[in-house]
Structures are given as C-alpha cells and as structure tokens.
Amino acid sequence: MRRIAWGVLLAGVAGGMVVLADLAWTWVRFGPHVTGLAEADPRRTAFMARRARQGRPPVDHRWVPLDSLPRPVVCAVVAAENARFFQHGTLDWVNQRAMLSRVLRGDFARGGSGIAQQLARNLFLTPDRTVRRKLREYVLAYKISHGLTKERQLELYLNMVEWGEGIWGVAAGSEHHFGRPVDALTPTETVLLAN
C-alpha cells in the first residue's frame, strides 16, 4: 500500500513538473511577441493562420485605431465581453468563479474569458477546449495585462478578433453584418454587433 502511495505521489509531482515546464515554455516563447504588441500591430493571429491552413483564409480584415472607433461601439463591446474590464487586473474573478461553477455542473456552452484571455487565445493559441490551453491562456493573459495598457488591449481585441466567418476586426464586422462603416451604425446595430 505504501509503495502505491509513493508511486501516486511521484506521478503527481512529475505531472506537475511537466505542466509547469509547459507554462514556462509558453511564457518564454510568446513573451517577446506580447512585448512587441505595445508598439506594433500584428498582421495576423493564430486563429487566422489556423483557418488559412484549413483552406479558409480571411475574407476581410481592417484595422481601425481605438481613438477612431465610435465610443458607443467600444462601450458596447466592453459591456458584452468583459463589463469590469477597466476595474480588474488580469482576470475578472467574478467571471472566473461563475465559469468554474458552470463547468462543475457540466455546462460547457459558455466561456468566462475576459478580453485579455480572449486576446491571448486568438493571437497565440487555439480554440481547443482543453485544460492545457486554458492554463496557457491564463499565463499569456497575465503577460498581456502587465505588458499592455487596457486601451491597447482593447484596440487589439477590436481589430484582431473574428466578428463572423473570416471577418476580422470590428470595422470589417460592421461592413459585413450591416453594410455600413462602423461609425454609421445605429444604436441597435451597435448592440447587435457587440453581442
């Protein structure tokens, strides 16, 4: 019995070390890329690259500086995606607790990722729903939250996240869904686009 307990303990320690090594590798591998985002606009994301490998390259992608986007659009997106974005650090712990509660009940239909987490996932990771991806997402969200201003995170999110099949960025999403530039959206269209 004692031999089994030691075996389980050693397997747990070895498994924990593998996880920590993977997270350290994630930090080192993507750290310079996150740092570079403070000044340079990325050309594409891991999600864009994945879709291109699947034979589905971007249909449309437009970059609009944050200060050129209408305030109602920015506010609607923040309200829909991460209402406490400007009040919390890396994670919105209220959201994380709610997500954990749903997962423990077997409800995997909805995530609980904030803007920094979604940005980390879209820029560097995959859409796979695995524990490994989620842990790596937390590490990169921490790096993003501590390396970029909230405004820069929001600008990247609004320009690099998919707003429909092959439609990247809120400006392209506005044109695709409503046939008009983002600054010409009605209040109703703004809310619909954000959700």
Side-chain angles (χ1 to χ4, degrees), residues 128-174:
D128 302 335
R129 289 180 177 245
T130 64
V131 172
R132 178 180 185 235
R133 200 259 13 244
K134 194 65 177 177
L135 291 173
R136 294 174 80 207
E137 180 183 298
Y138 284 136
V139 165
L140 291 172
Y142 179 88
K143 185 84 170 154
I144 287 169
S145 295
H146 289 81
L148 305 174
T149 65
K150 291 285 189 176
E151 290 76 14
R152 181 61 175 161
Q153 292 173 55
L154 193 52
E155 181 176 52
L156 289 164
Y157 180 85
L158 289 166
N159 284 289
M160 299 308 294
V161 171
E162 194 171 24
W163 295 81
E165 185 72 27
I167 309 300
W168 303 89
V170 69
S174 174

Side-chain angles (χ1 to χ4, degrees), residues 29-92:
R29 178 177 179 214
F30 295 110
H33 299 290
V34 172
T35 303
L37 292 172
E39 300 296 325
D41 300 334
R43 299 180 77 117
R44 65 188 226 168
T45 67
F47 277 35
M48 288 177 183
R50 181 185 177 114
R51 288 196 181 273
R53 284 191 305 273
Q54 296 169 340
R56 301 179 304 170
V59 174
D60 194 2
H61 179 223
R62 297 184 204 162
W63 184 276
V64 179
L66 183 62
D67 58 4
S68 296
L69 288 168
R71 283 287 163 230
V73 170
V74 175
C75 291
V77 170
V78 170
E81 294 297 329
N82 194 176
R84 289 178 290 278
F85 178 64
F86 287 100
Q87 284 86 40
H88 66 72
T90 302
L91 301 174
D92 180 348

